[in-house]
Amino acid sequence: MSQDQATSFGPVLEGDYVLTAEQVASYQKNGHILLRQAANEEEISLFQPAIEETVREAAMGLKPLEERDTYGKAFIQICNLWKMNPVVARFVLARRFAKIAAELMGVDGVRIYHDQALFKEPGGGHTPWHQDQIYWPLDTDKTITMWMPLVPVPEEIGSMTFVDESHLNGFISRELISDESHRTLKEYIEKKGLQQVQYGALAAGDATFHAGWTLHSAPGNPTPNTRQVMTVIYYADGTKALEPDSNARRNDLSAWLPGVQPGEPAATELNPLLYKHG
């Protein structure tokens, strides 16, 4: 789609989503929150076709579901759609979402780390327990992911399951998303008797936000319809890059912070400033 098509939508996603003090406090205490209708039905109807089209084009040649590993069965994962399609960029770079992220974290400004489409196909497997930030070479705990369905998500699929206050513990396990991470972290959660929260059915445009260290997982998809979800990862402006301590973080440093050296500001053309207070 052309840039002209991208700009023809007019003032879409420009209005603010007003958070209450109670919502901000709840997020900071628990490490996750559900916000209903962060994008309305009309807004989703404008962007969903472009996101779906971009995912389908990028996923051509993907192995059949039964031939993938546990991670691959969990979802079709396509990153940085905003660089592939100017219409999708209008959605991903929206000030409204970035402002929510900044206010929930209590920071003045946020940059984008990257976006991800996570499409869980019919018969798609569960997403194992994990912490996102074991992948990110970011020297901060001020990181957050917006997880927004583009289609209604019924109860039998549900949103992700979060562990209350788990973000306050920081790093828990080095295991990447896998059967092993699921076993290790499930045992950790059960031994400590930690509180789990699952928000159930969601409408298109509802959104959960969770911290980078928050433990979370998601069920498989027993329905005949693809669970279409778009995510955007944000971090506090002024964050510096960490010295990578794993291959996953080395790969992420190269992919999402190209040219940045450890100790330098985590800011490249792939990480524009999306919101700044005032």
Side-chain angles (χ1 to χ4, degrees):
M1 296 188 183
S2 68
Q3 186 65 46
D4 288 343
Q5 288 173 297
T7 57
S8 67
F9 288 172
V12 178
L13 290 175
E14 290 189 0
D16 289 346
Y17 187 99
V18 179
L19 294 171
T20 66
E22 291 76 16
Q23 287 173 319
V24 173
S26 176
Y27 169 81
Q28 293 184 0
K29 176 181 184 293
N30 294 315
H32 60 87
I33 194 170
L34 167 63
L35 301 178
R36 298 289 186 185
Q37 294 299 278
N40 64 39
E41 183 177 350
E42 179 183 2
E43 290 166 336
I44 291 295
S45 71
L46 289 172
F47 292 102
Q48 182 277 334
I51 295 171
E52 181 177 20
E53 176 188 359
T54 306
V55 170
R56 297 302 177 197
E57 290 178 354
M60 289 180 65
L62 194 66
K63 288 181 180 178
L65 188 65
E66 62 273 11
E67 295 181 17
R68 302 179 213 158
D69 61 12
T70 297
Y71 190 116
K73 288 176 180 176
F75 36 62
I76 297 172
Q77 179 183 31
I78 307 297
C79 299
N80 264 17
L81 275 71
W82 76 273
K83 296 294 288 183
M84 305 176 192
N85 186 318
V87 174
V88 180
R90 283 284 304 274
F91 178 90
V92 170
L93 306 181
R95 178 183 182 275
R96 180 193 300 167
F97 304 148
K99 184 173 184 284
I100 292 171
E103 291 180 347
L104 288 175
M105 292 192 292
V107 302
D108 286 337
V110 293
R111 292 181 178 273
I112 183 174
Y113 187 54
H114 63 79
D115 67 46
Q116 297 179 110
L118 301 176
F119 280 31
K120 194 178 288 284
E121 301 153 283
H126 74 123
T127 306
W129 284 110
H130 66 283
Q131 295 177 290
D132 294 336
Q133 198 153 334
I134 61 169
Y135 290 91
W136 305 341
L138 297 172
D139 192 12
T140 182
D141 61 358
K142 300 298 185 183
T143 60
I144 191 170
T145 297
M146 180 184 78
W147 189 96
M148 180 180 287
L150 306 174
V151 296
V153 177
E155 184 75 31
E156 55 265 46
I157 305 177
S159 64
M160 292 182 289
T161 301
F162 302 101
V163 177
D164 280 349
E165 302 183 27
S166 54
H167 67 305
L168 301 177
N169 297 322
F171 169 83
I172 295 172
S173 171
R174 190 177 294 277
E175 298 289 344
L176 302 179
I177 301 175
S178 63
D179 292 332
E180 184 57 35
S181 77
H182 194 71
R183 285 191 295 268
T184 300
L185 293 172
K186 185 172 184 288
E187 180 179 345
Y188 171 87
I189 293 163
E190 291 174 349
K191 279 187 174 181
K192 291 188 173 292
L194 302 179
Q195 178 69 36
Q196 300 178 37
V197 174
Q198 211 263 25
Y199 291 113
L202 301 180
D206 290 346
T208 62
F209 287 77
H210 67 273
W213 289 121
T214 297
L215 285 168
H216 59 288
S217 67
N221 181 5
T223 76
N225 303 311
T226 297
R227 186 210 71 183
Q228 299 184 16
V229 166
M230 192 66 188
T231 72
V232 184
I233 303 164
Y234 307 91
Y235 59 91
D237 182 35
T239 294
K240 294 183 178 180
L242 278 176
E243 179 71 49
D245 56 0
S246 66
N247 285 334
R249 282 183 164 175
R250 276 187 284 275
N251 291 339
D252 260 34
L253 183 64
S254 174
W256 311 125
L257 299 170
V260 174
Q261 299 300 311
E264 293 181 347
T268 78
E269 64 175 9
L270 293 182
N271 319 109
L273 182 67
L274 301 187
Y275 170 77
K276 190 76 171 178
H277 178 69

